[in-house]
Amino acid sequence: MQKNEEEPLSPMARVFQSPGIDLCALINIGFKTKINPDVVLDALKQNVYKHPQSENGEKWIETKVNVEDHVIVPYIDPEEICEIGQSFVDDYISRLTLIPLDRSRPLWDIHILNVKTSDAEAVGVIRFNHALADGMSFISLVLACTNKTSNPDMLSTAIPSVKRRSTVSHSLEKNGWFLRAIFTIGSTVRLIWNTLVDMFLLFATVLFLKDTKTPLKGGANVRSNPKKFYHRNISLDDIKLIKNVMNMTINDVLLGITQAALSSYLNRQYEQAKNSEEDGALTSYPNNLPVGIRFRAGCTVNLRSDIGFKPLAEMMVKDSKCRWGNYFSFIILPLSIGLETDPMVYLKKSKAMMARKKHSYQAALTYFLIKISLKVLGAKATTSLFNQHLMNITTCVSNVMGPMEEISFHGHPVAYIYPSSYGHSHALLIHYTSYAEELTITITVDPTVIPDPHKIFDDMEESLKTMKAVLWERGLL
């Protein structure tokens, strides 16, 4: 390929593929039938992929791929697996986090595990360096490779269009110019103020502002520790029900549930610590949480002007408004950790927090500053600053919308899809992914810090159940 045809990496892609970060993503796909490896190989052959190949990692170049080098089918003795298929898969994926991708070839591989788990007959694991794409891009790739289960002749394109919400109410739009002008001035002042505060807190986080040390916060070596990945499905209809009754977004509901669950989990952890200090006395304290916990989460924000899913071919077009790649940024969410007698308080706090964050240019400015930093300070210094920011907060959360109906890969029906990542400086990551009528919660943990992640799932399910029950008792359902 000629030099003028080469494409530069996006700022986030350059950061993710730097040796100081080397952030990798996983897409775990459960299948309802055993997988034929030949089908996967045939589907991948004759394709051209792009990956950062130049010496300084600044350009994409096209390269031919030897597919056999990237598709791995380990030998599995069924007699050794027996009834522990899920544990085998969990341990296998965890070991992958300790094995770096081979930088002499395109930075991805696919692992086929024909092992029966708790909710699938076989599992496919797609591993890739996060520099290749973000979650939205790879979901589009999955859709391009699959078909609707209900109609195998049709590609799986069943993802609704998404539009950014207007910040101007319909009532104001109908009023006169004076009220609209007052609202515009007030909104602009708040936007500027919110952005200044957010950027100040971002710089403070990079330099010195750290979260409270809690049982969920990792130490200095957490990035190099092996990670484990767990998932659990909940009803997407229940989430939508609360969303409609409370007049909020799905993200608001998910963050409210997350705040409630993490508060309950941490309260138990502190209670156990107190009981241990009191020589094992089984004293029950209603509230064991320290006052004023600073617990923040990094949250990904899609920066594309068109935030809806598009066909893969359209995303690959050079001037597409919904381009393939890493076109997203981060914002910092201050999660509310505390016990509330009314579970609806968690939802109200999450709604207010998200409304406040949406009325700020922090995400766009952060992306711009990373781009400038790469030019002025170079990749190594920028990566160091980015990693310092991650180390000073506790976790990251993301939500990726998936297909609305069941899909199949060349005759293999898909049971679930969930993405995650590793190589970060957190002991806890939380991802949400919708698929068909369910929502999959994925938790990535450092098991040396969080040995009981299933209890976080239990707290999430209990929080959702309690919120729904309260709405029912108040006659809102």
Side-chain angles (χ1 to χ4, degrees):
M1 175 177 285
Q2 295 180 6
K3 188 173 182 179
N4 60 4
E5 294 178 315
E6 294 178 351
E7 297 179 32
L9 273 70
S10 69
M12 298 308 301
R14 288 191 62 189
V15 170
F16 288 156
Q17 64 92 39
S18 299
I21 293 288
D22 202 20
L23 189 66
C24 292
L26 293 171
I27 295 182
N28 192 316
I29 305 177
F31 292 91
K32 296 182 179 180
T33 60
K34 298 298 182 184
I35 307 173
N36 183 350
D38 292 335
V39 171
V40 178
L41 288 170
D42 291 342
L44 293 174
K45 283 181 178 178
Q46 307 301 321
N47 286 309
V48 175
Y49 297 85
K50 294 181 179 181
H51 72 113
Q53 181 75 10
S54 64
E55 184 177 351
N56 57 9
E58 295 181 359
K59 299 286 186 181
W60 293 110
I61 66 170
E62 290 190 354
T63 179
K64 289 292 184 180
V65 177
N66 184 6
V67 173
E68 285 80 1
D69 292 338
H70 297 265
V71 178
I72 300 165
V73 187
Y75 171 75
I76 301 172
D77 188 349
E79 295 183 359
E80 292 183 6
I81 300 299
C82 297
E83 301 298 324
I84 59 170
Q86 187 65 60
S87 296
F88 174 86
V89 171
D90 292 343
D91 292 340
Y92 183 92
I93 299 176
S94 180
R95 288 194 297 271
L96 287 180
T97 65
L98 298 176
I99 304 173
L101 288 164
D102 187 351
R103 286 182 170 268
S104 66
R105 57 195 184 199
L107 300 174
W108 62 271
D109 54 29
I110 296 175
H111 300 255
I112 300 174
L113 307 176
N114 277 313
V115 176
K116 181 177 175 61
T117 65
S118 57
D119 47 11
E121 292 293 326
V123 175
V125 181
I126 305 173
R127 182 175 64 143
F128 56 95
N129 189 288
H130 217 314
L132 294 179
D134 55 20
M136 180 178 180
S137 295
F138 261 91
I139 290 296
S140 294
L141 176 61
V142 170
L143 290 175
C145 298
T146 56
N147 301 81
K148 296 181 180 180
T149 301
S150 59
N151 188 350
D153 294 329
M154 292 185 64
L155 291 175
S156 51
T157 56
I159 289 185
S161 60
V162 180
K163 295 181 179 179
R164 299 190 188 274
R165 289 193 168 193
S166 173
T167 57
V168 181
S169 65
H170 294 294
S171 59
L172 279 172
E173 290 176 348
K174 296 178 182 179
N175 286 317
W177 66 268
F178 181 74
L179 287 179
R180 290 200 303 269
I182 294 297
F183 175 83
T184 300
I185 294 171
S187 179
T188 302
V189 171
R190 289 198 311 274
L191 176 64
I192 295 172
W193 174 253
N194 291 345
T195 302
L196 290 174
V197 171
D198 287 343
M199 295 310 295
F200 172 78
L201 291 175
L202 175 64
F203 286 124
T205 300
V206 172
L207 296 175
F208 62 87
L209 189 62
K210 298 181 180 180
D211 278 6
T212 305
K213 179 64 177 177
T214 69
L216 291 174
K217 189 152 188 342
N221 298 324
V222 68
R223 191 167 69 89
S224 58
N225 291 343
K227 302 299 187 298
K228 283 215 160 188
F229 306 86
Y230 302 93
H231 73 280
R232 188 174 295 185
N233 295 334
I234 61 176
S235 171
L236 185 58
D237 287 338
D238 286 347
I239 301 293
K240 291 180 178 178
L241 187 66
I242 296 175
K243 159 190 169 290
N244 294 332
V245 171
M246 297 293 292
N247 188 28
M248 53 178 52
T249 67
I250 287 180
N251 285 338
D252 295 340
V253 179
L254 294 177
L255 279 176
I257 292 171
T258 300
Q259 290 181 134
L262 295 181
S263 296
S264 297
Y265 178 85
L266 285 173
N267 187 58
R268 282 197 311 276
Q269 295 297 310
Y270 283 112
E271 179 179 2
Q272 292 172 8
K274 286 182 179 180
N275 288 336
S276 298
E277 292 175 0
E278 296 174 3
D279 299 326
L282 298 177
T283 306
S284 179
Y285 300 92
N287 190 343
N288 307 280
L289 294 170
V291 178
I293 290 180
R294 182 186 294 115
F295 191 107
R296 296 173 297 170
C299 180
T300 57
V301 178
N302 184 6
L303 294 179
R304 295 170 176 86
S305 57
D306 188 342
I307 62 175
F309 278 86
K310 298 295 180 183
L312 185 63
E314 186 174 333
M315 292 187 74
M316 291 295 187
V317 176
K318 186 174 183 180
D319 296 324
S320 172
K321 294 182 179 180
C322 186
R323 290 198 64 187
W324 170 278
N326 282 281
Y327 293 96
F328 72 96
S329 185
F330 287 93
I331 59 175
I332 300 176
L333 302 178
L335 300 188
S336 176
I337 301 299
L339 297 185
E340 303 287 351
T341 55
D342 182 1
M344 296 297 106
V345 172
Y346 294 111
L347 293 175
K348 293 175 182 177
K349 286 184 176 181
S350 67
K351 180 179 179 180
M353 174 178 60
M354 291 303 292
R356 155 70 177 78
K357 289 295 181 178
K358 289 173 185 174
H359 204 58
S360 169
Y361 283 136
Q362 180 192 356
L365 280 177
T366 300
Y367 187 88
F368 175 76
L369 289 176
I370 291 175
K371 186 175 182 179
I372 296 298
S373 179
L374 286 167
K375 291 182 178 180
V376 176
L377 302 178
K380 186 175 181 180
T382 302
T383 299
S384 177
L385 292 172
F386 181 82
N387 194 48
Q388 188 63 38
H389 150 258
L390 293 180
M391 289 178 63
N392 287 343
I393 62 177
T394 303
T395 185
C396 280
V397 296
S398 72
N399 180 20
V400 178
M401 182 171 55
M404 294 179 62
E405 58 187 22
E406 292 190 2
I407 60 176
S408 297
F409 175 76
H410 292 264
H412 297 82
V414 172
Y416 62 79
I417 305 173
Y418 71 79
S420 193
S421 60
Y422 65 92
H424 46 81
S425 299
H426 297 131
L428 172 69
L429 278 186
I430 303 175
H431 291 81
Y432 300 97
T433 312
S434 60
Y435 174 58
E437 299 300 322
E438 293 187 322
L439 185 129
T440 301
I441 305 173
T442 309
I443 292 180
T444 305
V445 300
D446 179 344
T448 64
V449 179
I450 307 172
D452 53 356
H454 294 292
K455 292 184 179 180
I456 300 178
F457 284 130
D458 295 339
D459 288 329
M460 287 183 169
E461 287 189 318
E462 183 61 27
S463 298
L464 175 60
K465 181 180 177 181
T466 302
M467 291 173 182
K468 188 177 176 182
V470 169
L471 291 176
W472 182 270
E473 291 174 0
R474 295 178 181 176
L476 298 175
L477 295 181

